[in-house]
Amino acid sequence: MQSGTALVLFSGGQDSATCLAWALSRFARVETLGFDYGQRHAIELACRERLLDGVKALNADWAQKLGESHTLKIPTLADISDTALTRDVAIEMGADGLPNTFVPGRNLVFLTFAAALAYRRGIADIVGGMCETDYSGYPDCRDETIRALNAALNLGMAKRFELHTPLMWRDKAATWKLAHDLGGDGLVDLIREHSHTCYLGERGARHDWGYGCGKCPACALRAKGWGEYVASSLRGA
Ligand code: ZN
C-alpha cells in the first residue's frame, strides 16, 4: 500500500477499469481522468459513470478512496487525426503496418495532459493501461516510450512523477485474471457488463465478453482474451 493519491487515465474500457481497481488497491486516494476528443466510441465516456458507481458499490474501502472524476476536452486531437477512430471509415491495416485506428501520438498527449493536471492537484503517481503485449503496433504504448516520456515530464515540469503501467506485460486474458485477483467475480462481471472496448462504439449485441460489434480489432482482442481467461479459470489455473 502506497500513501498518497494516484491519477488514473480512465476511458471506461476494460484496461482502464482494471487499472482503476489496481490503483484503488494500492493508493490511499484515487482520482480519474477521461478525455473527450471526438472519438466515435464516445460511448466509453458514458460507461465511466456506471463503472465508477459499480466500483463504489462493490467495495466500501474503494468507495471511500475514490475522489474527483475529471474530463478534459481535446477536440484538437480529432482535427489533426484522419484516422478510423474519429472518421467514419473502415478499420484496416495501413501500408506502414499500423492499423488506421492509430491516432499519432495520442498516448503522449494523454499522459502529458494527465501530468499537467496531476501537477496542479499535487499528484505524483499516474496510472495508465498502456500494454505492449497485445501490441497492435502502437509505438506510444511501448514501455520504452512510456519510460522516456516519464523522464521528459519530470524534466519539463521539475517534478518526480511516476507513470505506472500495470498491464504493460499482461495479455487480455491476464488482464481479466488481474481484475479477478483484485475484485473477484464481482469486478469481472462489472467490467464485462459496463466497460466498453469496441472501436465502432457499438453496444447493441451482448457477447460472453460484453458488448460490441464483435468484428473490429478491439472486439476480437477482447473476445480472444475472455475465451482464454475462461478456459484457464475452468482449469483452475
Ligand atoms: Zn467492435
Side-chain angles (χ1 to χ4, degrees):
M1 170 69 69
Q2 298 186 35
S3 60
T5 303
L7 179 65
V8 178
L9 272 68
F10 184 54
S11 67
Q14 177 191 351
D15 291 347
S16 68
T18 307
C19 284
L20 175 63
W22 182 88
L24 285 165
S25 70
R26 275 167 183 75
F27 293 90
R29 188 177 152 81
V30 174
E31 300 186 6
T32 58
L33 169 61
F35 295 99
D36 183 353
Y37 60 101
Q39 65 270 49
R40 65 182 181 185
H41 54 306
I43 193 159
E44 275 194 357
L45 301 175
C47 291
R48 281 167 54 202
E49 290 307 314
R50 280 193 293 269
L51 284 167
L52 289 172
D53 289 344
V55 157
K56 285 185 209 163
L58 213 55
N59 183 317
D61 181 47
W62 290 357
Q64 179 257 325
K65 288 177 171 183
L66 255 183
E68 280 82 346
S69 163
H70 308 274
T71 302
L72 291 177
K73 289 191 171 72
I74 39 176
T76 313
L77 207 53
D79 291 343
I80 60 175
S81 299
D82 184 11
T83 79
L85 281 188
T86 51
R87 294 271 298 274
D88 194 15
V89 297
I91 293 171
E92 55 189 27
M93 295 301 288
D96 54 3
L98 291 172
N100 63 350
T101 48
F102 177 60
V103 181
R106 181 174 57 167
N107 284 314
L108 305 180
V109 172
F110 285 174
L111 285 164
T112 303
F113 271 102
L117 179 70
Y119 184 106
R120 284 290 185 208
R121 299 193 63 75
I123 296 172
D125 292 283
I126 298 168
V127 183
M130 295 79 189
C131 171
E132 188 165 312
T133 306
D134 277 336
Y135 176 52
S136 313
Y138 292 7
D140 57 344
C141 290
R142 292 187 310 200
D143 190 53
E144 190 179 7
T145 305
I146 302 300
R147 282 189 280 116
L149 182 62
N150 199 152
L153 292 170
N154 288 357
L155 285 169
M157 298 193 200
K159 285 283 171 190
R160 296 187 67 165
F161 293 113
E162 191 170 345
L163 302 185
H164 303 267
T165 52
L167 308 184
M168 183 58 75
W169 309 112
R170 289 179 158 99
D171 62 16
K172 285 284 186 232
T175 298
W176 283 115
K177 172 147 191 329
L178 176 63
H180 191 268
D181 292 346
L182 293 166
D185 287 337
L187 182 62
V188 170
D189 288 344
L190 177 72
I191 292 174
R192 191 155 67 125
E193 201 60 31
H194 291 302
S195 74
H196 191 79
T197 298
C198 180
Y199 280 146
L200 301 179
E202 286 194 14
R203 288 290 287 171
R206 170 68 157 81
H207 309 268
D208 286 351
W209 42 266
Y211 293 89
C213 75
K215 297 185 188 76
C216 76
C219 281
L221 202 55
R222 178 159 163 163
K224 177 171 171 282
W226 175 257
E228 290 166 2
Y229 164 71
V230 169
S232 66
S233 36
L234 287 178
R235 287 200 301 269

